[in-house]
Amino acid sequence: MSPVSWEDLAGQTQAAVPFLIQPYIPEGGIILLYGKTRVGKSPVSWEMARCVGAGVPFFGRPVRQGTVLILEFDTPQRLVQPRIEPLEAPPNVWFEFLNPCHLPADGAVQRLLRGLEASLHPDLVIVNTLRKVHQGDEKDGALPSRLYGLFRALFPTASVLFVHHDKKTHAAPDSQADPDEAFSGHLAWLNDCQVGLHLMRAGGRDTGLLKLVHTKYQVSAEEQTLRLQLDQGGSVLIEYVSEQARRV
C-alpha cells in the first residue's frame, strides 16, 4: 500500500457511517451499555432490539431494520418471559438462553454461536451480560480487546452490544471521579468500543425516571441525554416529557 499525503487524505470524500440506531448503534460496531443493577438496562436493550427488528424509530432516533439475536447469559428464560410479555412482539428478534461461561476457552459455546451466525446472520447481537461471558480479571487492560475481538470473529458483520454493570462500590459524594467511567473494570472496556451508553436514574428509585448518557461517541457527534421513564412493572419504557413541556 502506497503512502498518502496529508493534502490527498484531507481531500478524500468519506461515506457517512451507517447506523442501525443513530447515533447509538453503528453497523459493525461494539457498544457498551452500562449502569447499576436493576436500573433498567434490560428494558433499554429490549426496546433497541424491538425497534431494529420492526424497523421503527427508537424514541425518535432513525433505525434501519435488521435481525437481532439476544444472547441471555444472565437471566433464565422463565424469568425473562413474564417481563417481555407486556411488550409488543416484534419480528426478526431471537433469544438464546445460555449458562455463564468463559467464552475464550469454551469451544462448545463458540460452535453454538457460529451456528447461530450461520442460521440467522444477525445485524445486532446483544450480550447480557458482559461479566457472564468470561472469568477473567475485569481490571486486565488487555481483556477487552481480546473479548471484543472474539465476538467480532464470531459475528463478523454484526453490531455487538454488551450489557455491563457499574462498580459495586462507588466514590464518596464529593469525589471528583467521572460518573461516566463508573462501569466495573478497566477503562479499556470503554476505550476499545465505538459507543458508550451510561444508563442512570434521574430521580428516586420509585419514580422510574432514567437518563441515557452518550459517554463515548467515536463515530458520531455527541447525542443529547435521552430521558426515559420505566413503568412500575419494570418492562415498558416511554420517553419522559416534563410537566412544563406538556403544558407548552
Side-chain angles (χ1 to χ4, degrees):
M1 182 179 293
S2 301
V4 60
S5 72
W6 183 311
E7 183 180 14
D8 288 344
L9 180 61
Q12 289 179 0
T13 300
Q14 298 292 334
V17 175
F19 285 85
L20 288 174
I21 299 179
Q22 192 171 4
Y24 297 139
I25 301 184
E27 292 185 17
I30 299 291
I31 302 95
L32 186 71
L33 169 64
Y34 57 101
K36 290 183 179 179
T37 301
R38 294 188 296 276
V39 71
K41 299 184 296 297
S42 289
V44 168
S45 66
W46 294 335
E47 187 61 21
M48 287 179 167
R50 282 179 7 90
C51 290
V52 171
V56 298
F58 176 75
F59 300 110
R61 279 71 180 171
V63 168
R64 180 181 75 77
Q65 188 174 25
T67 300
V68 184
L69 172 61
I70 301 175
L71 298 174
E72 182 57 73
F73 291 89
D74 190 65
T75 308
Q77 181 174 343
R78 61 184 175 81
L79 299 181
V80 171
Q81 189 278 333
R83 294 192 63 194
I84 66 166
E85 191 173 6
L87 305 173
E88 183 178 352
N92 307 313
V93 179
W94 303 83
F95 284 85
E96 181 71 30
F97 292 88
L98 298 152
N99 293 323
C101 67
H102 182 55
L103 188 59
D106 196 324
V109 176
Q110 289 188 34
R111 287 191 293 274
L112 186 151
L113 297 184
R114 288 193 183 96
L116 291 170
E117 159 64 24
S119 61
L120 296 176
H121 301 297
D123 299 285
L124 172 61
V125 176
I126 296 175
V127 181
N128 188 44
T129 60
L130 176 60
R131 190 66 188 95
K132 299 296 184 177
V133 295
H134 74 87
Q135 297 174 7
D137 182 357
E138 288 186 340
K139 296 179 182 179
D140 176 3
L143 179 59
S145 63
R146 290 202 302 268
L147 194 62
Y148 290 165
L150 176 56
F151 271 90
R152 284 192 188 278
L154 292 169
F155 300 99
T157 62
S159 307
V160 184
L161 183 149
F162 293 90
V163 180
H164 192 34
H165 298 292
D166 279 357
K167 296 182 178 73
K168 291 186 180 299
T169 58
H170 298 278
D174 58 351
S175 169
Q176 299 301 308
D178 188 344
D180 292 335
E181 298 175 3
F183 52 88
S184 177
H186 197 279
L187 190 58
W189 291 112
L190 188 61
N191 288 342
D192 291 350
C193 68
Q194 283 71 59
V195 175
L197 300 171
H198 192 187
L199 185 65
M200 296 181 281
R201 290 191 178 91
R205 183 186 295 270
D206 295 336
T207 67
L209 296 179
L210 306 173
K211 58 181 180 180
L212 186 65
V213 184
H214 198 193
T215 57
K216 171 79 181 286
Y217 31 93
Q218 181 177 316
V219 292
S220 72
E222 180 181 6
E223 178 74 348
Q224 290 186 340
T225 295
L226 176 59
R227 298 188 180 275
L228 302 169
Q229 185 156 20
L230 185 63
D231 75 336
Q232 290 186 344
S235 297
V236 180
L237 282 167
I238 60 171
E239 188 164 6
Y240 174 72
V241 180
S242 68
E243 290 299 325
Q244 181 179 4
R246 284 194 178 95
R247 289 196 295 271
V248 171

